[in-house]
Amino acid sequence: MPNIALELGKQVASLGVDAAYGTQQDVDGIRLIPVALTWSGFGGGSDEAGNGGGGGGGYTVPIGAYIRRGDDLRFEPNIVSFLAVAVPFVWVAGRALARVIRALKK
């Protein structure tokens, strides 16, 4: 019976830098390297009878790209992804701050 944790480890060994930074693309003399925020989680287990299982999942958000034009290298963010993450974060942070202020007033 194979060890599920070891099998999952072998399968996700290619994740990491390869998932966060995409393949370099050359477009009209401009070099692009896409960048993403990635995270994943995996788990597995088995019982005394040897029955086992495992699973996992991941999520990727494109956050921008490194762009090289000649000797100039800069990062250009993906504004749509930034707003998709920033708006809920600001809302939650505002709600939490309001509750802290309300608790301190009591």
Side-chain angles (χ1 to χ4, degrees), residues 31-94:
R31 189 166 289 172
L32 305 168
I33 301 173
V35 180
L37 176 66
T38 63
W39 61 92
S40 58
F42 299 91
S46 63
D47 59 12
E48 293 80 25
N51 299 320
Y59 195 70
T60 303
V61 177
I63 59 172
Y66 283 106
I67 298 178
R68 180 182 289 273
R69 291 184 180 105
D71 289 338
D72 182 37
L73 175 66
R74 61 191 163 108
F75 179 78
E76 290 190 9
N78 181 342
I79 301 300
V80 173
S81 293
F82 175 74
L83 290 175
V85 171
V87 169
F89 175 77
V90 169
W91 182 81
V92 168

